[in-house]
Amino acid sequence: MKKYMKSLLAAGALAVSAAMPQTAAAQGFSSTEVQLHQGDGYLFGRNGINETSRTTVTLDHITVRDWGDLFFFVDFFSDGDGTGRKSDQYGEIYVHFSGRNAGLSFGDGLIKDVALGASINQGTDFTAALIGPRVSFNVPGFRVLSLGLYAYDTVTDPFDRDLDTTYQATVVWDRPFDIGSQKFLFKGFVDFIGERGQGVDNQILFSPQLRWDAGHAMGKKPGVFQIGLEYNHFENKFGVTSADEDSLSLFAAFKF
């Protein structure tokens, strides 16, 4: 397994172990999911700036406790067909510490929580470090709706560019809904990343998922087996002007 994968998981374990002694009786939940994606329209893979098909296995995990939350995902992906196939990995880990740790109190109003977060984003020859606040909202129908604003620093760059520190604003949502007896889920995120110097443009990554709970439809426990579509619009991918990715994948998700 790649060195960065070990460092991501080790960082998450360290964050959790540091917090848990103070919150031995913490209430919350943990969830781990594996997704299998097959799609097309991806840039900067096997065909460079040109589009390629991609098979992706995603492992993601979320832990929510009184102290805050830990989230990470790792994508293992393979591009193209036959002898031209190219494989790689990419992962992100976020740890947020709730304002309740500092004595802040939140009622049943619009603001659910204010947290301080830190993140490492890492792939081949790429590392970015983020830190900043996140506001979570109470909005009817949404299990999750949040806005984070982070300082974004590129530690290593695959194109060996001299990059400035910038910002990342991230909106995350998770909204279940029913149509008749069928259960669905609309979830995703939007990242807005600022310019990082001359010739390195601002980026927008819009990544929604629409899921159908196939397991529930077959009489099984809800939320365990889902089938869905994921769309990615990545404007100025990696800061490259006019490198706009529009990819679509069909996926199956299995939750443990």
Side-chain angles (χ1 to χ4, degrees):
M1 189 173 291
K2 295 290 186 180
K3 182 178 179 181
Y4 88 90
M5 172 68 171
K6 295 179 180 178
S7 66
L8 283 170
L9 299 180
L14 180 61
V16 173
S17 63
M20 288 304 290
Q22 303 174 21
T23 57
Q27 300 298 311
F29 70 92
S30 294
S31 176
T32 301
E33 183 178 82
V34 174
Q35 302 172 21
L36 175 61
H37 292 250
Q38 180 61 51
D40 205 349
Y42 299 91
L43 304 184
F44 295 107
R46 170 178 176 266
N47 298 327
I49 198 169
N50 297 317
E51 294 182 358
T52 184
S53 60
R54 177 166 294 176
T55 302
T56 305
V57 177
T58 298
L59 171 69
D60 75 30
H61 174 85
I62 178 73
T63 289
V64 178
R65 294 290 186 265
D66 289 346
W67 56 265
D69 56 81
L70 164 73
F71 170 76
F72 70 81
F73 76 86
V74 185
D75 287 338
F76 303 91
F77 56 88
S78 184
D79 295 346
D81 300 304
T83 59
R85 187 167 289 277
K86 176 183 177 181
S87 300
D88 211 336
Q89 302 85 28
Y90 176 76
E92 298 182 3
I93 183 168
Y94 282 82
V95 181
H96 289 89
F97 294 95
S98 171
R100 296 183 180 90
N101 296 311
L104 299 180
S105 178
F106 305 97
D108 297 326
L110 179 62
I111 304 299
K112 180 187 297 184
D113 190 24
V114 177
L116 178 63
S119 172
I120 298 174
N121 302 350
Q122 195 165 42
T124 301
D125 300 322
F126 170 78
T127 307
L130 295 79
I131 187 169
R134 182 194 66 190
V135 180
S136 299
F137 301 97
N138 282 311
V139 176
F142 286 83
R143 294 190 300 197
V144 175
L145 184 61
S146 67
L147 170 63
L149 184 59
Y150 309 94
Y152 182 105
D153 183 61
T154 306
V155 180
T156 56
D157 178 63
F159 303 109
D160 199 28
R161 299 170 295 187
D162 184 16
L163 302 178
D164 299 334
T165 299
T166 186
Y167 71 89
Q168 176 177 305
T170 298
V171 177
V172 178
W173 71 90
D174 182 311
R175 191 189 191 287
F177 64 96
D178 296 345
I179 298 179
S181 63
Q182 301 300 305
K183 292 185 176 296
F184 295 86
L185 177 63
F186 182 53
K187 65 179 295 185
F189 67 91
V190 186
D191 287 337
F192 302 90
I193 303 174
E195 296 179 1
R196 290 177 288 163
Q198 186 174 6
V200 185
D201 217 337
N202 62 288
Q203 303 172 73
I204 301 174
L205 174 54
F206 173 54
S207 184
Q209 290 185 352
L210 179 62
R211 301 182 176 207
W212 169 57
D213 196 326
H216 174 263
M218 293 184 290
K220 305 299 183 180
K221 182 179 178 181
V224 174
F225 172 50
Q226 299 172 324
I227 296 173
L229 291 172
E230 178 181 271
Y231 168 70
N232 285 307
H233 172 71
F234 204 155
E235 186 174 316
N236 302 323
K237 188 172 185 177
F238 302 152
V240 179
T241 303
S242 298
D244 296 340
E245 175 182 291
D246 287 287
S247 60
L248 182 67
S249 67
L250 176 67
F251 70 93
F254 305 87
K255 187 166 293 185
F256 300 96

